[in-house]
Amino acid sequence: MHAFFAVLKADFRSAVPYVVWAVLTVVVALAGPFGSYVGLDLPQRLVFWGVLMALGILAGTICRAAVHELLGLRDFRRGAFLTAMLSAVILTWPLYALADHMFDQEKALAPDHFEIALFIFATSLCVGAFRHSLGLMPNPLEGRAFAEVAEQDAPPEMPAPPLPRVVSRLDPALQGRLIAMTVRNHYVDVTTTAGQGSILMRFADAMAEATEESGIQIHRSHWVAWWAVTGVDKAEGKVWVTLAQDMRLPVSKSHRAKLEERGLL
């Protein structure tokens, strides 16, 4: 039951039900089905169908949560079909009675139960397809709400490694996780997640002070942290490493074997 209410809560926190309600209200009010076009003017139809669509979306959302969580049906197609069936069964008779009571059936074609049920069924399927296209259906893991899956199965946060000594030499505003280091004349440009700063020191000493962060020298002038490597590519006969922060550094031939050992080449 907790999973059932978790899905309902997640549904109504999203914008999807409200967007669906607004769109369906306008479309159906303009079309004026089941005698409403003759029996009501446009503002009245907007109010009438706005209320009915709100109740219909509420009922459909409850049916969907029941199908996926209480019944444990995780497959989208079967779940959407069963949700549409339940919505049609629940809503057909109240809508038929309301239309029969409100509208002058001498001026408008009286709908029968089948027409109303087909209308509700098709509308529910369209809403389900829209939700599915946005990736808002529950995760296909049997018997567990997607909200609980995200909470329970999320890997525990790994503590950030201590800042390497070379990073601690930077201005406090630039002290973040180490990404790369590059030699520039007598300086070493140190790039972190917080920015880039320069330190007057030898490159060998800078790499010795970066041992807290797992990384590798890829060039006589460049060192990179493994965690920041997002890809390797070749261009004009050279090998390049792409990094976080949109960085791209060359790999010298003498250091390519290190990438090969790691499976990046």
Side-chain angles (χ1 to χ4, degrees):
M1 187 60 71
H2 176 71
F4 171 78
F5 288 110
V7 170
L8 284 182
K9 188 175 181 180
D11 276 341
F12 287 110
R13 277 184 174 179
S14 74
V16 173
Y18 310 103
V19 172
V20 170
W21 169 79
V23 172
L24 287 180
T25 296
V26 172
V27 171
V28 178
L30 291 174
F34 310 136
S36 62
Y37 192 88
V38 174
L40 303 172
D41 58 25
L42 180 58
Q44 291 174 326
R45 293 200 303 274
L46 286 170
V47 174
F48 175 77
W49 285 110
V51 173
L52 285 187
M53 286 300 162
L55 295 174
I57 290 173
L58 175 62
T61 302
I62 293 173
C63 289
R64 191 184 71 85
V67 166
H68 289 293
E69 301 306 328
L70 298 184
L71 300 182
L73 186 60
R74 316 303 296 178
D75 179 71
F76 161 67
R77 291 182 178 84
R78 289 183 293 173
F81 185 85
L82 184 55
T83 298
M85 289 288 292
L86 288 174
S87 299
V89 169
I90 293 171
L91 298 173
T92 294
W93 277 266
L95 183 56
Y96 176 85
L98 185 62
D100 185 63
H101 175 74
M102 287 193 64
F103 306 132
D104 186 353
Q105 301 303 339
E106 293 181 359
K107 297 180 180 179
L109 181 64
D112 58 28
H113 290 85
F114 176 77
E115 290 174 332
I116 294 178
L118 185 61
F119 171 77
I120 296 171
F121 180 81
T123 302
S124 179
L125 282 184
C126 290
V127 172
F130 176 68
R131 294 181 62 87
H132 186 68
S133 69
L134 296 179
L136 295 173
M137 299 304 292
N139 193 306
L141 296 174
E142 278 194 21
R144 302 170 66 191
F146 63 91
E148 293 184 324
V149 171
E151 180 179 341
Q152 296 175 10
D153 290 351
E157 288 189 12
M158 298 296 292
L163 289 180
R165 186 178 177 187
V166 67
V167 173
S168 65
R169 293 178 181 271
L170 297 172
D171 185 277
L174 299 176
Q175 292 181 12
R177 190 166 185 186
L178 183 58
I179 295 176
M181 296 187 295
T182 296
V183 175
R184 180 174 55 84
N185 298 326
H186 298 294
Y187 289 85
V188 176
D189 291 332
V190 180
T191 303
T192 72
T193 53
Q196 186 183 85
S198 298
I199 304 172
L200 180 61
M201 66 186 307
R202 295 192 308 163
F203 191 42
D205 294 337
M207 289 190 292
E209 291 188 0
T211 52
E212 290 87 350
E213 186 69 74
S214 177
I216 199 72
Q217 185 179 5
I218 59 170
H219 190 278
R220 67 180 181 179
S221 301
H222 304 296
W223 179 99
V224 298
W226 281 125
W227 78 267
V229 176
T230 60
V232 177
D233 62 88
K234 295 181 179 180
E236 300 177 358
K238 295 182 179 180
V239 176
W240 298 81
V241 168
T242 54
L243 303 165
Q245 310 286 50
D246 296 324
M247 291 187 65
R248 191 166 179 258
L249 297 175
V251 182
S252 64
K253 292 182 179 180
S254 59
H255 292 284
R256 291 182 186 179
K258 301 173 184 177
L259 299 180
E260 294 174 353
E261 291 175 4
R262 203 165 178 95
L264 296 175
L265 277 178

